[in-house]
Amino acid sequence: MSALGDKHLPIGVFDSGVGGLTVLRAMRERLPSESFVYLGDTARLPYGTKSTDTVTRYALQTVGTLVERRVKLLVVACNTATAAALPALTAAYPDIPVIGVVEPGAEAACRTTRNGSILVLATESTIRNGAYDRAIRARLPEARVTGIACSLFVSLAEEGWIDGPILEATAARYLEPLLAGEAAELPDTAVLACTHFPPLAGEIGKVLGPSVRLVDSAATTAAAVEKALDDGGLRRPGAEPGTLAFLTTDAPERFAKVGGIFLGHPLRVEDVELVAL
């Protein structure tokens, strides 16, 4: 295959559900001429409560489907899968650049914090893995990192409940024990370390208060993808908008309905293809 042919291939993106569409949205804004194929493994959602071995197996199966469709670069738009499976994915596909969301998220947190106290809001599996703690401390060794597993946020996001009293009460239950601590120990930065969390930022921010800055990995991941394309000579030439394809492993109607919230515009069910892994 020629380099020119490689440049015209799409970028493959996957998540356990629709949360990774926040990353896709950021990439589309930064790289409008690129084409993307997105796969949400909604049949096996959530990944965040499962073991590392299980998440790795799911990630390899999901990425295998994208690779079969021919992609030039892979984006793991799922913090849980990035933390658990990135080394396995990189080893399985050495000829395809693989970009995860943990390193870009850690970079955004370190760039934002003023006092070095950083809160990581993630799934149970991501917190247990410690990937964010390691990535943040590699950049900011003196950082104080606190992790809170907020797995229910994934379910609320997948329901499209991105505001209201249920979300506010859930956020308060997760966060109020931290906020009751000493003021000197409180974080000034909170990483939304799950791609399902950014649409919930309004209610999360209300509970944390205005002194805490919220960051997520979408914009920094898009920048990392742009750099990988340029470094590999894989940028799609021309100014024409790229294409989008959406795949899901369960309920295309639901994917389209909730996915539009994350993507920022309506998504038609006829544009979502059901696939079996």
Side-chain angles (χ1 to χ4, degrees), residues 18 153-164 167 196 199-200 254 257-262:
V18 298
F153 284 166
V154 176
S155 299
L156 292 172
E158 287 282 335
E159 288 290 337
W161 294 0
I162 61 173
D163 54 23
L167 173 57
H196 283 81
L200 316 181
R254 181 180 178 82
K257 178 182 177 181
V258 181
I261 298 172
F262 290 79

Side-chain angles (χ1 to χ4, degrees), residues 1 11 13 47 50 53 63 65 67 109 115 120 128 155 157 166 208 227 231 233 239 254 259 264 270:
M1 183 185 301
I11 295 168
V13 187
Y47 281 14
K50 296 178 173 64
D53 288 346
V63 166
T65 297
V67 172
N115 68 5
V120 177
R128 185 173 60 243
S155 299
I166 294 177
L208 286 172
K227 183 177 186 303
D231 288 349
R254 181 180 178 82
E270 54 264 38

